[in-house]
Amino acid sequence: MAVFVAVLVLGCLLAAVLLFSGARKVAGGQAVAGEAAHLGVPLRGYRLIGVVEAAAAAGLLIGLAWAALGVVAAAGVVLLMCGAVVFHLRAGDAAGRWAPAAVLAVLAVVTLLLRVASA
């Protein structure tokens, strides 16, 4: 039961962050366009990343009831955040810019491992 509570807390935390980030990217705006250009991603692709982030958030939340989806969603978040770190490093960003994605990747790994353990 304690493992599922940890999955619940981490899953909800990750989902909230991903939903905020995804909605921001989908909504667009000058700041988002600047971020996309800085990272070398076309704005349309950056918005698509926002859709993927929102879908991952939904997958994490639905995955609380359906373990297999939770595992897949958490694995997807790991890959998504590792990709974010790579793009930030490639753009020459300092740690303050890529560290949040790295932390989210670690939290997603922990969530993935706990979800597998509680399934």
Side-chain angles (χ1 to χ4, degrees), residues 60-75:
L60 287 168
L61 295 175
I62 295 168
L64 295 171
W66 183 15
L69 182 59
V71 169
V72 170

Side-chain angles (χ1 to χ4, degrees), residues 23-107:
R24 188 176 164 280
K25 286 179 179 80
V26 170
Q30 268 192 317
V32 170
E35 291 169 14
H38 170 73
L39 294 171
V41 178
L43 183 56
R44 184 176 177 143
Y46 205 59
R47 285 187 168 158
L48 182 59
I49 291 168
V51 171
V52 171
E53 288 175 343
L60 287 168
L61 295 175
I62 295 168
L64 295 171
W66 183 15
L69 182 59
V71 169
V72 170
V77 173
V78 172
L79 295 174
L80 189 63
M81 291 302 112
C82 287
V85 170
V86 167
F87 271 77
H88 280 287
L89 289 173
R90 199 176 71 179
D93 288 340
R97 294 286 305 260
W98 57 261
V103 169
L104 290 175
V106 170
L107 291 176

Side-chain angles (χ1 to χ4, degrees), residues 15-29:
V17 171
L18 289 167
L19 190 57
F20 173 78
S21 178
R24 188 176 164 280
K25 286 179 179 80
V26 170

Side-chain angles (χ1 to χ4, degrees), residues 3 7 74 107-118:
V3 172
V7 169
L107 291 176
V109 167
V110 172
T111 302
L112 173 61
L113 294 173
L114 291 174
R115 192 62 186 122
V116 168
S118 69

